[in-house]
Amino acid sequence: MGEYEAGSRWPIALAVVTILAYLIWAGASVYTFTHLPPIPSKIMTTNGEVLFTSQQIIQGKYLFQKYGLMDYGSILGFGAYFGIDFTSYTIQLWEDYIASTLGLKSFLPNNTTAILLIKPYLNVTYDKANNVMIVNPILYNATEYVINYYANYLGNESMQNRLPPHYITNTTVVTDLTAYWTWSALIALLGYTNDYPYVPGILKPTTNAYFASDLMIFAFAIGLFIMASYVIIALIKYWHDPATPIQLPEPNEIQRSTLWGLLIVILGAAVQGLLGTYLMHLYASPSLYGLNLLSILPFNVARALHYTLALLWIADTWVIFSLFILPYLGLKLSKSQTWGIMTASIVVSVLTLLGIWLNYLQVIPYSSGTVQLWFMFGGQGRDVVTQGTVYLLLLAALVFYLSYLFLKASRITTPALRPLTRILSIGLAGNAFGIVLGALPIIHPWVNFTMDEYFRWITIHAFVESFWPMIITTILVILLIIAGLLPIRLGTALVGFDAVLDVATGLIGTGHHYYWGGQPMFWLYLGSTVSLLEAVPLGFAIVYALLLWMRGGVRTEFQRTILQVVLIAAVGGGIGAAAFGGGILNAPILNYFLHDSQATMAHAHVAFPLAFGLPSILLWVVMAYLTGAIRDVHLRFIRLGALLYGIGFYLQALVTLLPLGFLQYFYELKYGFWYIKSLDPLIPGLTPFWQLPLALDLIWLRMIGDLTAAAGFAVIGLIILLTFRRGVIVKKATEAIA
């Protein structure tokens, strides 16, 4: 292997770390699954009156997912960021009923005197021997009050609440849903969720939240020192290696044909952006400038399609780009093979979206048998992991096959690129395995919410915080090497190191989502300690990009475009993940109050589109440039578009989302978690949060960021679309990228 022998060790290290990380996660699963919050055979009063049975609780969970209510509101703070949190709302409804029964007509959630009178009636005990949860008799009558409230909220007032007209009118369905939400409230009161959510005078952060936050900071300081030391050594060792552009031959006819896939991908990305704007409009009004679309595009449908489209257009881009770049790595692909893979990817994406839409609109019937067809071919109803299980398995099979193709290419490509190609193969395989976990248990939902969340979040991390960062980083580094902007040994060392960090911290770091979902307390410490280290690789990405900029060597418009877009993505996405995510949200004591708030939205709306979306758009540009579709004169406008795209998402976060998050934090301290998700006037005289004048003003201000990002996207997308034909039919030699 010669001078590249050291680089060949990184794929081995990555494979070992990937296997170990999954094994550690599996080992932790054994303990977690034996310490789940119990689903009681009965919820009953001290008088022996039965509120609900285990069958109703389980059925309620299935219905919660079938109706897509996790893409509208949340349970224990997990789900959408707009609709009500059904856990804290249920507790608040109990308090309202108890207050009324006690004659406390002026009751407010921050009324200390009233809370002292109400609190004894919310005492819950769990009889483990008989598997029964026992509550105060007053909750028996309160349950009818809660059911009636939800029946009205989801039925007569459903459109006012941004759901389809008369969405849920079946009394049995509402009762079973209430059973599920009652269970979630009771496990919170019993302490299974580390005393989440915040209910003034009833539930508040435990001392463990403070101790875990302190330990997190200590571990981060040590980890950062060790990791930074290696990076500095690698930079010093390889910095002065020569960086020589690699001349690529003209793309063949089969490679050019992959441009057809970009047409659909660009369309999907545009629709995804429009759905995001529509969703924020629904925050302020149930109609779109007088046009009511809730019958076909209610909040839960629009939201599920919005984020699923984001995942799919990025994934489809990577599939298409892989088909374009694999021949350059020495792997010959036939026309039928190329078109078969590309078509399969797009068809699975379309079926996924159609399944979610039809299921949430209740077109796919509900089955009472073991096999739930809506779960398999519609939408799972799990936030982000919403895709029907059959479609997830098909996607996993496709990604596994791509992993095989890159592994095959690594055996025949130039020795310099073999380590990077193998890292890509391992990253794709690890991601595919995570997708399979998201499809479990395949034929019906998980029975226990806590187990469901456990698998759901490991799947999400297998995407955005473990394998996706290494995949996109590796692709970008290969582009930088080809363009002559980065020495091969330096690029390999940085990618290998970051890839190992991504997996080692990203998979175990899933634990920061296990603070409040009913998982054992040790996740509060392990999750917070490891999770913050996830931000280190993305933080290093900023350093690499800035150093590359300082290193110079830029001679062509193509080189300048690659480097500037990478810089915008690295700095923008890195800050979005490290500062908005790791810095603001990871500490348990902060996360307790910011969980499920718009502060989380700020993190997602900066980190995801800039760390993954913009680099994927760069791949469109590279394909279009190498096929001769776009030329040097277009690249200046593309760089402007990329800059506007990045600025737009930061404006969304800084002008609207973060201010809304801090406003929610202020009101949560005052009234409790339920209030920051309120849309209806539950308490007379108390304006719902989403009707506060300041909240509405901040919502409308988001149009500034939306329009800026849209303008940037439009510049790039239109250039590619308008020059597309030239890239497909050009026959003369394409200009070398150097």
Side-chain angles (χ1 to χ4, degrees), residues 469-544:
M470 82 160 72
I471 292 171
I472 197 63
T473 300
T474 305
I475 291 173
L476 292 179
V477 164
I478 289 175
L479 289 179
L480 290 167
I481 290 172
I482 291 174
L485 296 170
L486 186 65
I488 294 176
R489 293 197 301 172
L490 177 59
T492 303
L494 297 182
V495 164
F497 181 65
D498 275 7
V500 168
L501 283 183
D502 285 331
V503 175
T505 61
L507 285 181
I508 308 304
T510 308
H512 72 258
H513 298 290
Y514 298 158
Y515 295 165
W516 327 120
Q519 288 83 2
M521 186 182 64
F522 82 86
W523 283 110
L524 202 64
Y525 289 89
L526 181 62
S528 59
T529 301
V530 179
S531 291
L532 192 57
L533 296 178
E534 295 175 39
V536 175
L538 283 171
F540 285 157
I542 301 174
V543 177
Y544 303 154

Side-chain angles (χ1 to χ4, degrees), residues 631-643:
R631 297 169 179 171
D632 285 351
V633 68
H634 302 113
L635 294 179
R636 299 173 186 176
F637 296 101
I638 285 173
R639 293 197 295 271
L640 174 61
L643 182 61

Side-chain angles (χ1 to χ4, degrees), residues 42-51 132 134-137 140:
K42 295 177 183 177
I43 299 173
M44 59 189 300
T45 69
T46 53
N47 293 339
E49 298 169 305
V50 176
L51 276 67
V132 174
I134 304 170
V135 300
N136 191 282
Y140 183 80

Side-chain angles (χ1 to χ4, degrees), residues 523-595:
W523 283 110
L524 202 64
Y525 289 89
L526 181 62
S528 59
T529 301
V530 179
S531 291
L532 192 57
L533 296 178
E534 295 175 39
V536 175
L538 283 171
F540 285 157
I542 301 174
V543 177
Y544 303 154
L546 291 174
L547 288 176
L548 279 174
W549 185 262
M550 295 170 59
R551 194 176 193 273
V554 179
R555 295 181 297 276
T556 69
E557 288 291 328
F558 187 65
Q559 290 175 318
R560 185 174 291 108
T561 300
I562 289 180
L563 190 52
Q564 286 189 14
V565 175
V566 168
L567 184 65
I568 295 168
V571 174
I575 292 176
F580 289 8
I584 295 177
L585 298 173
N586 259 15
I589 191 58
L590 292 177
N591 190 276
Y592 184 92
F593 293 104
L594 296 176
H595 180 56

Side-chain angles (χ1 to χ4, degrees), residues 234-560:
L235 287 171
I236 293 173
K237 185 176 181 179
Y238 301 121
W239 186 252
H240 294 292
D241 279 13
T244 306
I246 298 175
Q247 303 290 331
L248 296 178
E250 177 187 3
N252 60 38
E253 183 182 354
I254 297 175
Q255 286 175 286
R256 291 179 183 279
S257 69
T258 59
L259 288 182
W260 288 101
L262 290 188
L263 295 180
I264 298 175
V265 168
I266 293 172
L267 176 62
V271 172
Q272 188 248 330
L274 292 173
L275 283 171
T277 302
Y278 171 70
L279 280 169
M280 208 63 195
H281 187 92
L282 287 181
Y283 274 64
S285 171
S287 65
L288 183 64
Y289 301 109
L291 180 63
N292 195 315
L293 300 176
L294 294 176
S295 295
I296 59 171
L297 204 61
F299 188 93
N300 58 343
V301 170
R303 180 179 185 268
L305 295 180
H306 172 62
Y307 65 69
T308 304
L309 257 173
L311 294 170
L312 291 175
W313 76 255
I314 290 173
D316 285 338
T317 292
W318 294 358
V319 170
I320 294 168
F321 185 78
S322 297
L323 297 173
F324 180 83
I325 204 72
L326 277 168
Y328 285 135
L329 297 174
L331 187 67
K332 293 182 179 180
L333 298 174
S334 67
K335 185 175 182 179
S336 60
Q337 190 178 17
T338 298
W339 272 89
I341 295 171
M342 186 165 63
T343 302
S345 178
I346 293 171
V347 168
V348 169
S349 298
V350 172
L351 290 176
T352 298
L353 297 169
L354 187 61
I356 293 170
W357 198 336
L358 294 177
N359 182 49
Y360 279 13
L361 291 181
Q362 304 309 301
V363 175
I364 300 177
Y366 184 84
S367 171
S368 59
T370 302
V371 177
Q372 306 289 326
L373 295 180
W374 63 268
F375 186 74
M376 299 174 66
F377 296 97
Q380 296 184 54
R382 306 159 75 197
D383 184 24
V384 180
V385 188
T386 310
Q387 306 88 338
T389 57
V390 169
Y391 307 130
L392 278 176
L393 291 176
L394 290 173
L395 179 61
L398 182 63
V399 177
F400 271 127
Y401 185 64
L402 276 181
S403 171
Y404 162 73
L405 291 180
F406 275 103
L407 179 61
K408 190 175 179 181
S410 71
R411 297 169 183 164
I412 55 179
T413 193
T414 173
L417 294 178
R418 283 178 189 170
L420 294 173
T421 308
R422 286 172 181 163
I423 287 173
L424 265 179
S425 176
I426 295 169
L428 289 166
N431 185 216
F433 184 71
I435 296 172
V436 172
L437 292 177
L440 299 178
I442 301 177
I443 62 173
H444 60 75
W446 293 105
V447 170
N448 195 300
F449 165 82
T450 300
M451 184 179 288
D452 192 324
E453 287 299 290
Y454 196 80
F455 279 95
R456 185 172 75 88
W457 281 112
I458 196 68
T459 299
I460 293 172
H461 268 235
F463 275 85
V464 298
E465 298 189 56
S466 295
F467 298 106
W468 272 28
M470 82 160 72
I471 292 171
I472 197 63
T473 300
T474 305
I475 291 173
L476 292 179
V477 164
I478 289 175
L479 289 179
L480 290 167
I481 290 172
I482 291 174
L485 296 170
L486 186 65
I488 294 176
R489 293 197 301 172
L490 177 59
T492 303
L494 297 182
V495 164
F497 181 65
D498 275 7
V500 168
L501 283 183
D502 285 331
V503 175
T505 61
L507 285 181
I508 308 304
T510 308
H512 72 258
H513 298 290
Y514 298 158
Y515 295 165
W516 327 120
Q519 288 83 2
M521 186 182 64
F522 82 86
W523 283 110
L524 202 64
Y525 289 89
L526 181 62
S528 59
T529 301
V530 179
S531 291
L532 192 57
L533 296 178
E534 295 175 39
V536 175
L538 283 171
F540 285 157
I542 301 174
V543 177
Y544 303 154
L546 291 174
L547 288 176
L548 279 174
W549 185 262
M550 295 170 59
R551 194 176 193 273
V554 179
R555 295 181 297 276
T556 69
E557 288 291 328
F558 187 65
Q559 290 175 318
R560 185 174 291 108

Side-chain angles (χ1 to χ4, degrees), residues 603-681:
H603 158 59
H605 277 70
V606 173
F608 190 86
L610 294 184
F612 301 119
L614 187 57
S616 300
I617 292 173
L618 176 62
L619 301 186
W620 304 348
V621 175
V622 170
M623 290 176 63
Y625 186 82
L626 292 179
T627 56
I630 61 175
R631 297 169 179 171
D632 285 351
V633 68
H634 302 113
L635 294 179
R636 299 173 186 176
F637 296 101
I638 285 173
R639 293 197 295 271
L640 174 61
L643 182 61
L644 289 173
Y645 185 84
I647 291 174
F649 283 105
Y650 264 94
L651 287 174
Q652 286 183 13
L654 297 175
V655 175
T656 292
L657 301 177
L658 273 181
L660 274 174
F662 294 138
L663 186 65
Q664 286 179 310
Y665 172 73
F666 170 79
Y667 277 104
E668 182 177 0
L669 291 177
K670 189 174 183 180
Y671 297 126
F673 180 64
W674 75 274
Y675 178 74
I676 68 171
K677 305 287 290 293
S678 62
L679 182 64
D680 63 313

